[in-house]
Amino acid sequence: MLKVGRLADYAVLILHHLGRMRPARLAMDSIAEVTHLPLPTVRKVMKYLVDADLVISKRGPNGGYQLARPPAQVSLAEAIAAVEGPLALTECCSAQGNCEIHDRCDLADRWPGVNAIVVKVLERTSLADLDRFGRHEPHVPPPLRELMAPVRHL
Amino acid sequence: MLKVGRLADYAVLILHHLGRMRPARLAMDSIAEVTHLPLPTVRKVMKYLVDADLVISKRGPNGGYQLARPPAQVSLAEAIAAVEGPLALTECCSAQGNCEIHDRCDLADRWPGVNAIVVKVLERTSLADLDRFGRHEPHVPPPLRELMAPVRHL
DNA sequence: CAATTGTATACCCCGTTAGTATTGAATGCG
DNA sequence: CGCATTCAATACTAACGGGGTATACAATTG
Ligand code: SF4
Ligand code: SF4
């Protein structure tokens, strides 16, 4: 668990494809076809991406979608947030979070710290970086051990 | 979004409390009271925690729950996984993940890499570490910058 | 104007989550 | 031995949200 929604997953998938095509424009039909996703679903996703200014759309004949920025400048955090809103592991990590216990909860001011780290990881991983990842271990470099930082033990 | 379930959140909350009490034993009623959580909900959570061997239970008079290990040796990843199962950002990150597209998806073998990093962060953050976190930035130490590692840019 | 292609809205279905209730089993004590 | 205490197990329900679909509309081009 701790999964990202399907739609957000698709968003990344689509953005990645658009990145490989850039700066070419790609019609929605083509996107649906190449990603093997149902077209109505793609429609919904594209709306999110346009609203978030991650892609540029053009109507009319020969229209389509185009990645707004180079793939290296689009983070996974942005992609996910475009669909699901700001990343927040718990209610107390988001502004409009309403948790009844919040006032009496010992961890209310601790979770945001954890959240910040996770967000940072996703912010620093771009679409282009995905290509560098292999299966499982993403070539965890030695410095990572200390990088985790706040995060000691084991 | 990208939120952890409420129950998992509660689990961490409870574990943290048990950690501060350790090695004392705490009855379910007391747990519900001190955490301000509804008792039936606590029941459900405790079952998960016992099954995952994170807490030791004892029945009868003067019974209750006790954290199985020192708080510094219990990771957030374990706590969350105890309730929600293994962490998997996408379907293709988990063993029993069934995604229709999987075979034809370009990112099917890339997501596990990202997932691994996130998991690692949560694995290396213990209950005891939570106390070290302040609001927002968890004192991100300089080495973190390189720790992120596979994760360059910006 | 007509063909193309994206935009907007509104809807529904189904799975999961969260919460609750009930009943049963183990332990300890006197 | 029997009773009070406390956890264990199961089953149920209600509500929310994710995600998939249909349809009608607007813009662009040539
Ligand atoms: S306040 Fe406590 S309970 Fe409410 S969301 Fe934050 S951590 Fe979870
Ligand atoms: S295979 Fe592709 S689509 Fe299916 S879950 Fe993994 S990434 Fe998402």
Side-chain angles (χ1 to χ4, degrees):
Chain A
M1 286 297 150
L2 185 73
K3 59 171 179 286
V4 59
R6 267 277 168 82
L7 260 34
D9 177 2
Y10 295 160
V12 174
L13 187 52
I14 292 172
L15 287 172
H16 182 249
H17 258 111
L18 285 179
R20 298 196 67 77
M21 298 300 187
R22 214 182 92 105
R25 218 182 343 255
L26 215 58
M28 203 151 45
D29 316 28
S30 314
I31 295 177
E33 192 174 355
V34 69
T35 57
H36 308 99
L37 292 173
L39 189 130
T41 299
V42 175
R43 279 216 193 85
K44 181 179 282 190
V45 173
M46 295 321 287
K47 168 171 171 49
Y48 289 128
L49 298 182
V50 170
D51 287 353
D53 292 317
L54 288 179
V55 303
I56 299 172
S57 71
K58 185 169 187 186
R59 297 197 250 201
N62 232 314
Y65 296 94
Q66 177 191 3
L67 195 61
R69 289 174 262 158
Q73 288 175 29
V74 179
S75 72
L76 288 188
E78 285 176 291
I80 297 173
V83 175
E84 305 190 335
L87 284 65
L89 290 181
T90 66
E91 291 291 331
C92 47
C93 290
S94 107
Q96 70 277 25
N98 56 333
C99 174
E100 308 82 19
I101 317 172
H102 190 283
D103 304 317
R104 316 202 157 212
C105 179
D106 286 356
L107 300 181
D109 53 351
R110 306 298 164 77
W111 269 112
V114 179
N115 191 63
I117 298 182
V118 173
V119 167
K120 211 149 236 155
V121 169
L122 264 7
E123 270 176 353
R124 297 187 182 204
T125 306
S126 74
L127 294 177
D129 289 330
L130 286 178
D131 294 331
R132 261 181 283 284
F133 282 3
R135 181 148 195 85
H136 298 101
E137 286 297 314
H139 163 261
V140 178
L144 178 144
R145 189 136 301 160
E146 339 174 30
L147 156 58
M148 290 307 184
V151 170
R152 313 153 319 114
H153 308 300
L154 282 194
Chain B
M1 284 301 151
L2 185 73
K3 59 171 178 284
V4 59
R6 268 278 169 78
L7 260 33
D9 178 2
Y10 296 160
V12 174
L13 187 52
I14 292 172
L15 287 172
H16 182 250
H17 259 111
L18 285 179
R20 298 196 68 76
M21 299 300 188
R22 214 180 91 105
R25 218 183 343 255
L26 215 58
M28 205 152 43
D29 315 27
S30 314
I31 295 177
E33 191 174 355
V34 69
T35 56
H36 309 99
L37 292 173
L39 188 130
T41 299
V42 175
R43 277 216 193 86
K44 182 178 282 190
V45 174
M46 294 321 287
K47 169 173 171 47
Y48 289 128
L49 298 181
V50 170
D51 287 354
D53 291 318
L54 288 180
V55 302
I56 298 172
S57 70
K58 186 169 186 186
R59 296 197 250 202
N62 231 314
Y65 296 95
Q66 177 191 6
L67 195 61
R69 290 173 260 158
Q73 288 176 28
V74 179
S75 72
L76 288 187
E78 285 176 292
I80 297 173
V83 175
E84 305 190 334
L87 284 66
L89 290 182
T90 66
E91 291 292 331
C92 46
C93 290
S94 106
Q96 69 277 25
N98 56 334
C99 174
E100 308 81 18
I101 316 171
H102 190 284
D103 304 317
R104 315 201 158 214
C105 179
D106 286 356
L107 300 181
D109 53 351
R110 306 299 162 79
W111 269 112
V114 180
N115 191 62
I117 298 182
V118 174
V119 167
K120 214 149 233 154
V121 170
L122 264 8
E123 269 176 354
R124 298 186 182 206
T125 306
S126 73
L127 293 178
D129 289 331
L130 286 179
D131 295 330
R132 261 181 283 284
F133 282 4
R135 182 148 194 84
H136 299 101
E137 285 298 314
H139 163 260
V140 178
L144 178 145
R145 188 135 302 159
E146 337 174 30
L147 156 56
M148 290 307 183
V151 170
R152 313 152 321 113
H153 308 299
L154 284 194

